[in-house]
Amino acid sequence: MRNPIGGHVPVAGGLAKVGLGHARALEAETVQVFVANPRGWATPPGNPAQDELFRSECAADSVPAYVHAPYLINFGSHTEATVERSVVSLRHSLRRAREIGALGVVVHTGSATGGRAREEALAQVRTHMLPLLDELTHDDDPFLLLESTAGQGSSLCSRTWDFGPYFEALDSHPKLGICLDTCHIYAAGHDLTGPAGMRQTLDLLVDTVGEGRLKLIHANDSKDVVGAHKDRHENIGAGHIGAEPFRELFRHPATEGVPLIIETPGGKDGHAADVARLKELRGTAAV
Ligand SMILES: [Zn+2]
């Protein structure tokens, strides 16, 4: 299959029991989970039986799994305590990802808070994030996937070219990859619509970080117009991006083999409809 399609699933009540049950209801071919409260700093140990079940069932069904790290993480923060907690939190997500057999951990690229210069924040990213990448020495360690933002505030990474300095700060580490969120990149100012919008944006991304770095796509439509700098996801085809750019996405060489995860509104029914819609677009995109 060129691109597995699935969604972010809830796991309260059991990673395998609840998470994979939800995934099956969506007919998901790939899943994303949290391994900690996304709005907290806690680093829960997990349940070994559920971990093993999750890992073996994903392997048996050939469902690639991903972890989304907590939202509070910000390696560019001017607050020392936030940076220290970010290290602990991200290290936890990376370790938990390996334990459950996940292929990647998505982390937000963060922002330069407190009015500090972007260079200063990126130097801090280097100091604190690069050692975590260097810890990924096992064969089954996940990739660290950078997700850019819609460009609110002093975001370190929102346009495609912003990944350049970020990659440079991390020595383009071999375990480093990108998670492209279609809503974020559109809200940041890349018009994905029109005959060449999606293609040109993906070309720009490859120009910046090279081939093979795009490892995951968050497929979300946008409630807001291009360049709005607002992070408000909409169901596929129901927002300002529309369905057509997603068909184009399936045709670009950079997305070959890259899974798509939806993070759209509407609960289980909304997710099931979006997974089905993307599968339909994938089916008609064949070149
Ligand atoms: Zn996302």
Side-chain angles (χ1 to χ4, degrees):
M1 178 184 318
R2 192 191 191 273
N3 301 92
I5 294 167
H8 184 96
V9 297
V11 295
L15 199 57
K17 193 175 158 214
V18 173
L20 292 182
H22 195 104
R24 280 186 201 100
L26 306 183
E27 298 191 45
E29 301 158 341
T30 176
V31 287
Q32 177 178 282
V33 296
F34 290 125
V35 290
N37 174 357
R39 298 177 204 291
W41 292 113
T43 55
N47 172 322
Q50 283 292 307
D51 289 356
E52 183 45 40
L53 206 55
F54 183 88
R55 189 189 178 100
S56 60
E57 287 188 21
C58 285
D61 297 343
S62 303
V63 167
Y66 297 86
V67 165
H68 199 305
Y71 300 133
L72 301 182
I73 291 176
N74 182 12
F75 284 81
S77 174
H78 71 296
T79 308
E80 208 174 309
T82 300
V83 179
E84 281 167 18
R85 286 176 178 147
S86 295
V87 170
V88 173
S89 178
L90 185 54
R91 181 182 282 124
H92 169 261
S93 281
L94 289 163
R95 179 176 55 77
R96 291 288 297 128
R98 182 157 70 94
E99 286 170 1
I100 68 170
L103 304 182
V105 171
V106 178
V107 68
H108 290 171
T109 40
S111 52
T113 58
R116 67 205 323 219
R118 165 182 292 251
E119 291 68 32
E120 198 185 337
L122 283 175
Q124 192 168 282
V125 166
R126 178 181 182 82
T127 306
H128 296 278
M129 201 185 265
L130 191 52
L132 295 179
L133 282 159
D134 285 333
E135 288 173 17
L136 302 175
T137 55
H138 304 88
D139 288 342
D140 56 352
D141 270 324
F143 281 91
L144 181 61
L145 308 181
L146 303 175
E147 178 176 13
S148 56
T149 67
Q152 316 93 315
S154 44
S155 173
L156 286 175
C157 210
S158 61
R159 305 296 294 262
T160 54
W161 44 82
D162 294 333
F163 282 113
Y166 215 103
F167 263 58
E168 216 170 284
L170 297 170
D171 292 344
S172 296
H173 195 282
K175 279 297 202 178
L176 194 60
I178 283 177
C179 170
L180 180 74
D181 188 307
T182 53
C183 172
H184 297 182
I185 206 83
Y186 179 76
H190 290 281
D191 195 350
L192 303 175
T193 65
M198 180 63 84
R199 180 166 52 77
Q200 285 173 349
T201 303
L202 288 166
D203 285 348
L204 282 169
L205 188 65
V206 175
D207 285 350
T208 303
V209 295
E211 286 172 16
R213 295 288 188 168
L214 179 60
K215 304 281 188 194
L216 187 66
I217 292 163
H218 282 169
N220 302 304
D221 208 326
S222 170
K223 282 193 202 292
D224 301 284
V225 295
V226 60
H229 303 297
K230 285 193 181 140
D231 182 6
R232 298 200 304 152
H233 300 181
E234 181 55 284
N235 297 101
I236 305 297
H240 286 273
I241 297 175
E244 212 47 46
F246 289 97
R247 202 192 322 268
E248 280 305 313
L249 182 151
F250 290 115
R251 292 180 172 141
H252 197 283
T255 67
E256 173 85 56
V258 178
L260 274 67
I261 295 283
I262 52 152
E263 302 168 319
T264 50
K268 201 186 266 187
D269 292 344
H271 280 187
D274 279 336
V275 167
R277 201 165 292 130
L278 283 172
K279 286 181 180 174
E280 201 181 297
L281 290 165
R282 177 181 66 189
T284 55
V287 279

